């Protein structure tokens, strides 16, 4: 597993990472979230051994990143933001170059390249130069170089940033497949990435951990958890909706011309609303129950306000 204990980094009078403590188990896909300047990049640099902490420790499957740096780094595959590659190389040429850098030669090198390319479905473009590939395929090349040495840990920085919806779906499916027996950490500012791929999320702000839980647990901290949104063919009685048991308030949404009925913490209000609709004979075009809004939770957490 990965374990961070009181990991801290100070630059002069500025504390970029402040006593960060958490662990990650194999099979988990961890979303590492925070606003700009929160300390995400600094944490990743310490975790991968490129920056020494001021205090605290980080270990990769028992190997301390400071005292056993190379042993720890051999277990890490890293995909930088933008998946930078040598564009004039072919896909096979680039992967063979990475394999050689990692010490593989001959048949072992060929097996490593072919296996990594097969895992991320690059077989049809192995002879193409990287410059000619779409962004989605370039990300696949980046993933292939990251898993070529079969690491136990994958650290991915903004893996789907800038991709179209189809490309995002493809890359996310690849990540899910790769995560089955590995630890995957995704550093991202795209909140939809968390609900789409991650099994857990850690949120930091000002270098400190402010939340740690599954996407559902974080969404349940939203004021919109269990809220019900209605769109009627005619005006709905917001006063009657607000008076229902368990209702915390009513919001009007423009330009959708819908009403969102908020639930009090721990309350389920859909049955009462459904019964009122039947009683009043309202014609409702849409009726949706919300899980919660991660963006609202994120904003509240990183503003330092209590939920």
């Amino acid at each position: 597993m990965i374990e961070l204990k009181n990991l801290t980094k100070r630059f002069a009078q500025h504390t970029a990472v402040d006593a960060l403590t958490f662990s990650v188990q194999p099979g988990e896909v961890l979303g590492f979230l925070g606003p700009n300047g929160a300390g995400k990049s600094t944490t990743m640099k310490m975790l991968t051994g490129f920056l020494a902490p001021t205090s605290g420790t980080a270990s990769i499957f028992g190997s301390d990143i400071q005292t056993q740096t190379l042993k720890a780094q051999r277990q890490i595959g890293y995909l930088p933001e933008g998946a930078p590659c040598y564009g004039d190389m072919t896909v096979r040429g680039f992967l063979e170059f990475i394999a050689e850098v990692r010490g593989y030669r001959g048949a072992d090198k060929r097996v490593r390249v072919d296996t990594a390319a097969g895992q991320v479905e690059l077989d049809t473009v192995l002879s193409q130069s990287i410059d000619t590939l779409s962004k989605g395929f370039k990300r696949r090349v980046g993933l292939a170089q990251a898993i070529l040495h079969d690491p136990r840990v994958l650290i991915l920085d903004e893996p789907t940033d800038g991709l179209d919806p189809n490309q995002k779906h493809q890359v996310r499916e690849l990540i899910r497949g790769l995560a089955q027996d590995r630890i995957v950490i995704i550093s991202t500012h795209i909140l939809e990435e968390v609900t789409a791929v991650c099994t857990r999320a850690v949120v930091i702000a000002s270098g400190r951990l402010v939340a740690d839980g599954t996407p559902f647990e974080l969404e349940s901290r939203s004021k919109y958890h269990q809220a019900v949104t209605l769109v009627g063919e005619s005006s709905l009685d917001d006063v009657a909706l607000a008076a229902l048991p368990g209702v915390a308030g009513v919001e009007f949404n423009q330009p959708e011309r819908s009403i969102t009925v908020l639930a009090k913490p721990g309350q389920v209000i859909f049955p009462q609303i459904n019964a009122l609709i039947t009683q009043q004979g309202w014609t409702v075009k849409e009726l949706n129950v919300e899980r919660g809004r991660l963006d609202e939770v994120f904003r509240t957490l990183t503003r330092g306000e209590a939920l």
Side-chain angles (χ1 to χ4, degrees):
M1 70 175 178
I2 292 176
E3 192 167 17
L4 281 64
K5 291 183 178 179
N6 296 313
L7 197 66
T8 300
K9 184 63 181 179
R10 298 187 185 91
F11 298 98
Q13 302 303 311
H14 174 64
T15 301
V17 177
D18 192 358
L20 204 56
T21 298
F22 63 87
S23 60
V24 194
Q25 302 291 336
E28 286 190 301
V29 181
L30 179 74
F32 192 52
L33 310 175
N36 291 336
K40 299 192 304 297
S41 295
T42 302
T43 302
M44 293 295 98
K45 288 176 183 177
M46 289 191 287
L47 185 58
T48 52
F50 293 103
L51 188 65
T54 304
S55 61
T57 61
S59 63
I60 311 292
F61 287 97
S63 300
D64 187 276
I65 197 64
Q66 290 188 83
T67 61
Q68 300 168 291
T69 305
L70 288 178
K71 185 177 180 182
Q73 288 177 332
R74 289 190 185 103
Q75 302 184 77
I76 298 172
Y78 179 49
L79 175 64
E81 184 178 3
C85 303
Y86 295 109
D88 57 339
M89 285 185 170
T90 65
V91 174
R92 180 177 289 280
F94 175 70
L95 294 179
E96 288 179 346
F97 166 71
I98 296 297
E100 289 175 3
V101 168
R102 292 197 172 275
Y104 299 112
R105 299 290 186 273
D108 197 13
K109 179 179 74 173
R110 288 193 297 274
V111 169
R112 291 282 178 178
V113 168
D114 290 342
T115 300
Q119 281 184 282
V120 299
E121 301 175 6
L122 285 172
D123 305 272
T124 59
V125 297
L126 282 171
S127 60
Q128 286 185 227
S129 64
I130 294 172
D131 270 344
T132 66
L133 301 178
S134 67
K135 284 185 178 179
F137 269 110
K138 287 178 180 175
R139 284 293 199 286
R140 293 190 191 193
V141 175
L143 281 170
Q145 67 79 26
I147 64 173
L148 193 141
H149 57 301
D150 195 24
R152 301 171 76 182
V153 176
L154 275 177
I155 296 177
L156 312 176
D157 194 357
E158 305 289 357
T160 66
D161 191 24
L163 302 185
D164 67 35
N166 289 333
Q167 293 168 336
K168 284 183 179 180
H169 175 75
Q170 292 167 353
V171 171
R172 287 168 181 167
E173 286 298 310
L174 292 172
I175 292 170
R176 287 191 193 97
L178 294 171
Q180 292 179 6
D181 55 354
R182 293 180 173 93
I183 291 173
V184 178
I185 298 178
I186 299 175
S187 177
T188 183
H189 69 280
I190 303 173
L191 294 180
E192 69 175 76
E193 204 93 287
V194 177
T195 51
V197 181
C198 299
T199 60
R200 179 179 160 209
V202 162
V203 184
I204 66 171
S206 300
R208 297 181 179 179
L209 189 148
V210 294
D212 182 354
T214 66
F216 177 78
E217 287 169 344
L218 293 185
E219 287 171 336
S220 68
R221 299 174 68 171
S222 167
K223 73 174 183 178
Y224 295 101
H225 180 59
Q226 290 296 334
V228 178
T229 298
L230 307 89
V231 179
E233 289 190 353
S234 57
S235 296
L236 303 175
D237 188 345
D238 60 291
V239 175
L241 288 166
L244 290 173
V247 170
V250 175
E251 291 183 355
F252 294 91
N253 310 305
Q254 297 293 345
E256 298 92 344
R257 300 177 66 183
S258 63
I259 294 178
T260 297
V261 186
L262 305 177
K264 292 178 180 177
Q267 298 294 307
V268 176
I269 59 174
F270 177 78
Q272 298 93 294
I273 291 174
N274 196 40
L276 182 64
I277 292 170
T278 302
Q279 176 189 332
Q280 298 292 330
W282 293 337
T283 301
V284 175
K285 295 190 292 184
E286 294 182 26
L287 185 63
N288 301 306
V289 180
E290 296 199 32
R291 289 177 38 156
R293 300 180 188 178
L294 194 57
D295 60 339
E296 178 244 338
V297 176
F298 179 84
R299 286 194 303 271
T300 303
L301 286 169
T302 55
R303 281 200 307 261
E305 299 175 4
L307 283 177

